[in-house]
Amino acid sequence: MAYEKAIELLEAARRLHTVSHVDLDGLVSAALLLRWARRRGIEAKHDVAGARGLYRMLRRALQEAAGRPGTVVVVADLSPRSRADAEAVAGLLRWGQRLVWIDHHEWPEGAREALEKAGAIVVHDRSRVTAEIACAVARCTGEDRTLVEIARADDSCSEDHLGLADKWRLVLRHLDWEGLRRAAGALAEGSLWPDWAREIYEQEAPSYYQEIREKTSVNGYEFNGIRVVVVTPPPRASGCDVQRLGLVPGPSEADVAVILYPRGISIRTWGQLRADCIASRLGGGGHSHVAGAPRPSTTMGPAQIARMVANAAEGCRAGQ
């Protein structure tokens, strides 16, 4: 039903304002919506936001929409950090603005209900990446599906048939906010690998991958019978790239692998342990076997992080 409502609302739109996440799934989702708007001949705008800046960006977008009748604001590939955050966004919908929220991450309890009560349409589908949801609500054509494949490959740390997910992942890490919007615009126009992106990749890739290989440390621990391996790569490295280079131990060596960043942690699990459950107990979220959470303190070392994750993992087995 949520899909049908979102499609109906978009079909009636006279203007589209998309706010997307900064990763490839978010930017592809925005690109698909921009393509849809272009096919319909309506004005479209795109902004990017991280989890911490989402409320500020949404407030601006919804205030702008209040003065532009017919505007539909779409949030793509971002989840509210808490029910309180969702209620704060709901409080912005007081002049009849139209908000569609599409996402596939774990959501805090009560967040969806708070938004829907205020009139937002929430398409929350954990079985798909957000680009697939965007593809459904924007009535994708055949040529759009290559974009969806690239987004899915990036989200799952796998490969697409063009080999572009890995390349775009590196390029996006070297772009500012304007560059990220430029990337979505290029994808929307059908330029899957523009020259400027290729130049960034060719310039940065050799040193980037070499740095990951040379500077990544791996430490193993066991707490409460749970084996935790903490992988500490260089600060700018992507967890998918660290994993692809074979630096993240698998299920034979660990129950939980943690990739430690300066401001966050990426959690990977196998078998019965649920990464999204562990992450939610640490203030984050994600998927059943790949999730993320804030790093409580930069002074916490690998052993302390491992103990914290092992404690959070208690009760996070499938079915519990």
Side-chain angles (χ1 to χ4, degrees), residues 58-96:
L58 258 183
R59 180 176 60 190
R60 185 187 310 163
L62 290 168
Q63 287 174 344
E64 184 179 314
R68 303 285 297 274
T71 298
V72 174
V73 177
V74 182
V75 180
D77 201 43
L78 286 154
S79 61
R81 292 191 297 169
S82 65
R83 178 173 180 169
D85 278 3
E87 290 172 343
V89 172
L92 297 172
L93 300 173
R94 44 183 180 268
W95 294 293

Side-chain angles (χ1 to χ4, degrees), residues 19 42 129 202 301:
V19 178
I42 66 173
V129 296
E202 291 177 351

Side-chain angles (χ1 to χ4, degrees), residues 4-5 36 68 73 94 101 112-113 120 131 134 138 146 175 178 181 199 206 225 232 247 253 263 273 281 289 305:
E4 288 78 7
K5 288 182 178 179
W36 170 85
R68 303 285 297 274
V73 177
R94 44 183 180 268
W101 200 309
R112 176 173 184 167
E113 291 76 9
T146 298
L175 299 181
E178 182 58 36
R181 287 192 291 269
E199 290 172 5
T232 308
L247 300 172
E253 301 174 63
R263 302 175 71 175
L273 275 180
R281 294 182 176 192
H289 293 295
I305 294 291

Side-chain angles (χ1 to χ4, degrees), residues 115-173:
L115 287 164
E116 290 180 333
K117 185 177 180 180
I121 295 172
V122 179
V123 187
H124 180 218
D125 190 342
R126 297 289 308 283
S127 68
R128 300 179 171 187
V129 296
T130 304
E132 290 177 284
I133 303 173
C135 191
V137 301
R139 304 292 184 90
C140 273
T141 64
E143 65 180 12
D144 298 327
R145 300 193 183 281
T146 298
L147 278 180
V148 175
E149 181 194 353
I150 294 170
R152 189 188 302 115
D154 179 62
D155 196 73
S156 60
C157 296
S158 58
E159 292 186 9
D160 60 284
H161 79 280
L162 295 176
L164 290 179
D166 289 340
K167 294 179 179 178
W168 266 117
R169 187 185 307 122
L170 188 154
V171 170
L172 296 182
R173 301 181 82 80

